[in-house]
Amino acid sequence: MTDRPTALTNILASDIPPPVQVLSVSKTGIKLADGLILSGPVVFLDGKVFLWDVPNGGFSSRWEGWTNEHWSLFEVVVPKPEILVFGTGARVEFVPPRVRSYITGLGIQLDVMDTRNASSTYNLLAEEGRRVAAALLPLEPKLWERKKGF
């Protein structure tokens, strides 16, 4: 609900946003149920989609340049998800102990799998009403472009 007055009120609206649902994952990107295609790294959290700025689009020297700052969204969100499903791209990648301990230190269970399986797992858990988030790397490297002046 918004604080500003509107001409219409959705009496069926809930305070809980509907979960983001992944329709498919391909080399083009992650296609959402509404048809939107996300070509780079993203985070799904609390019914919202965040473009995720990670080193090298998540590829090439996989963990070089990654810091806790890349996971800081999960520090500030309330309530925290109980599970973070991490899709590491076309195949499952080893997650360094420092990343795993950082996430679990926030009280969040970390499940790591390839992005296709992570998307399916996220869909299932979200449909069950679980407090789940997904951090998904694309199948092929893609950096989000930064626009000057923003």
Side-chain angles (χ1 to χ4, degrees), residues 104-144:
T104 58
L106 295 173
I108 302 170
Q109 175 184 324
L110 180 64
D111 289 348
V112 180
M113 53 196 80
D114 66 87
T115 296
R116 282 191 174 99
N117 286 314
S119 297
S120 296
T121 301
Y122 169 79
N123 282 348
L124 178 68
L125 293 172
E127 278 297 315
E128 289 178 352
R130 304 282 296 272
R131 281 194 338 258
V132 62
L136 304 173
L137 300 177
L139 299 185
E140 293 187 349
K142 167 74 169 133
L143 292 173
W144 292 112

Side-chain angles (χ1 to χ4, degrees), residues 18-71:
V20 175
Q21 291 289 294
V22 177
L23 185 61
S24 65
V25 177
S26 70
K27 290 182 179 182
T28 307
I30 299 164
K31 185 174 184 179
L32 302 183
D34 65 2
L36 180 66
I37 297 175
L38 303 163
S39 60
V42 293
V43 171
F44 301 154
L45 178 64
D46 199 25
K48 297 172 185 65
V49 177
F50 298 89
L51 304 183
W52 194 22
D53 187 14
V54 297
N56 302 314
F59 294 84
S60 177
S61 302
R62 174 73 63 176
W63 297 104
E64 186 177 318
W66 285 74
T67 65
N68 289 351
E69 184 177 304
H70 293 101
W71 306 95

